[in-house]
Amino acid sequence: MRRIVVALGTVAAALTGCAPDRLCTLSDMDSGVAVLWRPADFGQQRDTVTVRLCVDGSCAEGASGDPGDPFRSLSVRLPDDVGAGPVPVRLTVTSRKDGRVVVRDSRRARLAEEHPNGRSCPPTAWTAAFRAHPEQGLTSTKGMDLRKTPGTSQERHGSGPSGG
């Protein structure tokens, strides 16, 4: 009897296209562009500046945060079918004290294709990430250690830029 049940299960899986090697996890991921920064790079007091990120006409903004935090991030969601781009990205960092623009920069971003559940499973997301640097504007996130607070050896543990 057990052989019959196993055989029927195998036949049903083959007929429905649900073979064990095609199982997908259910992780979700949105397409978008993110900007990360170290709050201490923009001042030694909380929320010294406002960071505004615009991508292809959509914008998001937030306060710089606590200088004791290792990093902050902001992202703009894009349509899932956006493709590899390039898309226009604009960063504006403004002093909350006097409204002065501290950083203004723009780039055209090529988006990376991401498959959080494997190449043969949905979803497909298109992403890019930049660092907001006080002197250089939009730069690469390469080499940016998100675990340590600048100037200390103390490690901080928290979620990554993708929220996980």
Side-chain angles (χ1 to χ4, degrees), residues 36 38 129-133 136 138-146:
L36 296 89
R38 290 188 174 109
F130 293 95
R131 175 182 180 186
H133 190 279
Q136 300 170 5
L138 289 167
T139 65
S140 170
T141 59
K142 265 192 179 8
M144 188 175 180
D145 187 347
L146 302 179

Side-chain angles (χ1 to χ4, degrees), residues 58-69:
S58 296
C59 299
E61 71 178 41
S64 57
D66 185 333
D69 290 342

Side-chain angles (χ1 to χ4, degrees), residues 3 9 11 24 30 40 42-43 53-54 63 89 104 109 121 131-132 137 139:
R3 283 186 184 169
V11 170
C24 295
D30 292 327
F42 293 100
L53 177 68
C54 296
V89 178
R104 181 174 295 168
C121 298
R131 175 182 180 186
T139 65

Side-chain angles (χ1 to χ4, degrees), residues 69-81:
D69 290 342
F71 78 96
R72 296 268 307 200
S73 67
L74 187 65
S75 63
V76 173
R77 191 172 190 279
L78 296 171
D80 292 331
D81 62 353

Side-chain angles (χ1 to χ4, degrees), residues 3-39:
R3 283 186 184 169
I4 294 172
V5 171
V6 171
L8 287 175
T10 304
V11 170
L15 291 176
T16 61
C18 296
D21 63 334
R22 301 280 311 207
L23 294 177
C24 295
T25 58
L26 297 177
S27 294
D28 196 16
M29 184 178 210
D30 292 327
S31 294
V33 175
V35 65
L36 296 89
W37 66 91
R38 290 188 174 109

Side-chain angles (χ1 to χ4, degrees), residues 45-65:
Q45 294 185 349
R46 181 176 187 81
D47 299 333
T48 305
V49 297
T50 297
V51 178
R52 181 175 175 86
L53 177 68
C54 296
V55 182
D56 203 22
S58 296
C59 299
E61 71 178 41
S64 57

